[in-house]
Amino acid sequence: MRAFACPVCENFVSFESDHCQSCSADVGLHLPSRSMVALTDGTATVGDIVWARCTQSRPLGCNWLAPEAQEAEQRGRCLSDSLIRREPDPDDTIAREKLVPTAVALRRLVYQLDDLGLRIDPYWRTDGGLAFDLLSSYSTGERITIGHANGLITIDLVESLDAYRESLRVRLGEPYRTMLGHLRHEVGHYYQNILVETGAGASRYLDRCRELFGDERVGYSEAIARHYKFGAPPDWQDSFISEYATMHPWEDFAECFAHYLHITDTIDTAREAGMVLLADRVRFAAPGDVVPLESYADAPVEHLLSDWKWIALFFNRVNTAMGKSPLYPFEISEPVVAKLGFVHTVVRAAAASAIA
């Protein structure tokens, strides 16, 4: 995640801030330039376009800007909040409270997808475009089927409850579970569908995808039943990033896509903080200085993962120094390197195609 600076005083401004803590200037996040801009009476002109605060600035705490002249279907919302197709009713105060942190996680996801250059086609503009139903089984008792189907990602807001999410993490044998991680996983299904399985991607990538992840035509419901009855194979760490990835080729791809987003975003955050590893300053053998790149678009995935190995080691030690579990408790085997390499190739090619 980029480190944002106040456009007035140049001090640090957090991703979620709507004003500068140092000089009190009103600011908003302008996604096209990936920067904070100063606002006057809630608006700013960037180029020839007038931008205003997203209409969800109050209900969802959004600090993003939306163009004043926009399609009616966007509803005055920024790109991220406009992707929310369904949400709890205004009088469902319990669910609305849990919607706020989920919307923050969604904005982090959308920012990263845009930063990577991935196409974001909203459902209100394109049939099968990206949409989110953020609903609550906790307050309504409604059964929510989470997952992805034809561009629509459905999330149960109960996952924003720490106790519930932790109990689910333990029950599923997962070392890591957050709302942002869940969103990254589900959007992996969306991008596998539009970049790998359909259109030009089918002829370009599908055979290789099946070689690495398995044949996605294997019955999904049967795979789910088998996984929850028997669990992951005992040697799953030899070929998979997580136990959940063993369930079905679709889940394997989505898990690897999510981890690709975990890794690239955390490396970006470390780089933006000026973090480097100086080999002559550590008490253990290191291959050389580790200086995170501005972009790994033209680098092989092995370079990305080599840098990540040492950066993750640092963050894991920081977490354990605070009495917490390691930040990234995953082992990346050679088969998983190949899978992440495939994701890297697909993402970078899609980004290059969007620019052309």
Side-chain angles (χ1 to χ4, degrees), residues 229-289:
K229 182 176 181 179
F230 299 108
D235 59 350
W236 66 268
Q237 288 179 307
D238 294 343
S239 304
F240 297 91
I241 192 66
S242 68
E243 292 187 54
Y244 195 73
T246 68
M247 187 170 71
H248 188 275
W250 279 337
E251 301 304 340
D252 194 7
F253 182 94
E255 283 287 271
C256 287
F257 189 92
H259 277 259
Y260 182 79
L261 297 188
H262 294 334
I263 291 166
T264 53
D265 197 30
T266 308
I267 286 182
D268 283 347
T269 303
R271 184 196 67 249
E272 289 285 307
M275 176 182 170
V276 298
L277 183 152
L278 301 178
D280 63 352
R281 297 289 299 275
V282 298
R283 297 180 183 275
F284 47 83
D289 294 348

Side-chain angles (χ1 to χ4, degrees), residues 305-319:
L305 296 178
S306 176
D307 286 357
W308 175 241
K309 172 184 176 180
W310 298 101
I311 291 171
L313 175 64
F314 168 78
F315 285 122
N316 285 345
R317 294 179 64 230
V318 168
N319 260 31

Side-chain angles (χ1 to χ4, degrees), residues 287-299:
D289 294 348
V290 176
V291 182
L293 301 180
E294 179 74 22
S295 170
Y296 290 84
D298 298 322

